[in-house]
């Protein structure tokens, strides 16, 4: 048989078997050390300090998950929010070892209480409201549909609100339903639900945080941020209050940088819109400086246009439109179609997380 034909046959066999040629990834199998049972639906986080990268995935019913990584030599640490791992939970990838499989055992079979940190730095004032990755404050409708973008953390639905999930979308935490709240699930996964949860403390804390943030004096002021004239916003240690009428990004990016203890509150009175593909409309934090998504709060004030994300790329590797930080918009509808929020999404109006969008509470360290 000719070499060309042999090569073609090998490629076809690999494709048929589902093997990814040259994939840089880690596959993890998680079991509870006590009963050796696989842990389903837990979030596995891999972090590289040398390559400044962080990825996560959720285990299936066999406790298995594979996470795609950077195509370069890096060393990683594995953590599982809410669980203690026994044994080695580190690995390195090289040009000759581009994938590894890690069997991991945990000392717990269920998450430890308080195992995951709050999604917002406590100095930004959200208090107990920072425990919900998606928080519906009122009677609005929350729709989560499409490919598997994922809600990492809990979903909290206020009194008489409603939640509908469909497609391959999933939630790693619990759906908490207040009195009269309804949940319709036609997604392909199993969802943990808690009924009759009193969310009054979380709801009151969110409204108080919005009011308090709106009353802060401005450190910097802008009529419009569109990623053209201003591409980098540099903060100082402590609280930085950015007052802006409109944030409208069309395929452009803004970087938030400064010392590691810098906190950012954006008070937005007008539009908050991210559109366009390419590199994507994004507001990112400078993690190389030690700033994290939980250090940023976008307080979108009063009624007005919907908070809107678009630009494609929904699903497992969501998305083109990305914001690092929490969206607090009590009086605005929020439409992620698709979009990625590395923080929380909070509103008393309708919240649409569609087309494979994702909302992620910053993972445990």
């Amino acid at each position: 048989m000719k070499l060309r034909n042999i090569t073609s046959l090998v490629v076809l066999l690999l494709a048929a078997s589902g093997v990814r040629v040259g994939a840089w990834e880690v596959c993890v199998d998680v079991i509870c050390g006590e009963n050796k049972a696989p842990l389903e639906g837990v979030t596995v986080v891999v972090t590289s300090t040398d390559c400044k990268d962080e990825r996560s995935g959720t285990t299936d019913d066999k406790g298995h998950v594979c996470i795609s990584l950077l195509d370069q030599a890096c060393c990683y640490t594995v953590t599982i929010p809410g669980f203690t791992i026994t044994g080695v939970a580190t690995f390195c990838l090289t040009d000759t070892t581009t994938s590894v499989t890690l069997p991991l055992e945990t000392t717990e079979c269920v998450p430890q209480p308080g195992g995951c940190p709050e999604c917002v730095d406590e100095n930004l004032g959200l208090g107990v409201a920072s425990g919900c990755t998606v928080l519906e404050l009122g009677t609005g409708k929350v729709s989560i549909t499409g490919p598997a973008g994922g809600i990492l953390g809990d979903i909290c639905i206020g009194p008489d609100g409603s939640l509908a999930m469909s497609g391959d979308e999933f939630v790693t935490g619990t759906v908490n339903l207040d009195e009269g709240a309804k949940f319709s699930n036609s997604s392909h996964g199993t969802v943990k639900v808690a009924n009759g949860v009193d969310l009054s403390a979380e709801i009151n804390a969110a409204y108080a945080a919005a009011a308090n943030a709106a009353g802060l004096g401005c450190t910097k002021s802008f009529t419009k941020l569109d990623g053209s004239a201003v591409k980098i916003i540099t903060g100082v240690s402590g609280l930085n209050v950015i007052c802006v009428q409109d944030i409208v990004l069309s395929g452009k990016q803004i970087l938030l940088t400064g010392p590691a203890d810098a906190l950012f509150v954006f008070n937005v009175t007008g539009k908050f819109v991210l559109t366009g593909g390419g590199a994507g409309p994004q507001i990112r934090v400078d993690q190389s400086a030690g700033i994290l998504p939980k250090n940023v709060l976008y307080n979108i004030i009063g009624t007005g246009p919907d908070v809107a994300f678009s630009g494609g790329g929904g699903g497992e590797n969501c998305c083109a439109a990305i914001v690092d930080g929490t969206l607090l918009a009590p009086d605005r509808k929020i439409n992620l179609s698709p979009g990625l929020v590395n923080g929380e999404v909070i509103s008393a109006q309708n919240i649409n997380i569609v087309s494979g969008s994702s909302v992620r509470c910053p993972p445990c360290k």
Side-chain angles (χ1 to χ4, degrees), residues 5-70:
N5 292 336
I6 293 174
T7 302
S8 299
L9 179 60
V10 170
V11 172
L12 287 172
L13 288 173
L14 288 173
S17 64
V19 174
R20 295 175 60 201
V21 181
W24 292 68
E25 66 179 7
V26 60
C27 292
V28 179
D29 294 289
V30 186
I31 64 171
C32 170
E34 181 179 340
N35 58 18
K36 306 304 180 184
L39 292 180
E40 177 184 0
V42 301
T43 300
V44 176
V45 181
V46 290
T47 305
S48 173
T49 54
D50 55 339
C51 292
K52 297 180 176 62
D53 187 44
E54 188 168 82
R55 310 288 178 96
S56 63
T58 304
T59 57
D60 60 18
D61 58 353
K62 296 180 176 61
H64 180 78
V65 62
C66 289
I67 302 170
S68 297
L69 301 173
L70 293 174

Side-chain angles (χ1 to χ4, degrees), residues 332-353:
R332 307 283 188 101
K333 293 179 181 179
I334 297 177
N335 295 314
L336 309 182
S337 59
L340 167 60
V341 176
N342 289 312
E344 292 185 70
V345 167
I346 304 173
S347 177
Q349 310 303 314
N350 292 347
I351 301 173
N352 292 308
I353 302 170

Side-chain angles (χ1 to χ4, degrees), residues 111 119 141 174 231 301:
C119 291
K141 298 178 181 179
T174 300
K231 300 180 184 296
I301 299 170

Side-chain angles (χ1 to χ4, degrees), residues 39 41 52 58 69 89-90 111 132 143 156 160-161 164 166 183 190 194 207 209 211 298 301 305 322 332 342 357 364:
L39 292 180
K52 297 180 176 62
T58 304
L69 301 173
T90 59
C132 300
S143 177
C156 302
D160 299 317
S166 64
F183 177 37
T190 302
Y207 278 117
Y298 300 93
I301 299 170
I322 303 174
R332 307 283 188 101
N342 289 312
S357 295
C364 296

Side-chain angles (χ1 to χ4, degrees), residues 18 45 65 82 99 138 191 203 217 232 254 307 316 322 347:
V45 181
V65 62
S99 64
V191 179
I203 293 169
I232 298 175
I254 293 176
V307 176
E316 183 178 353
I322 303 174
S347 177

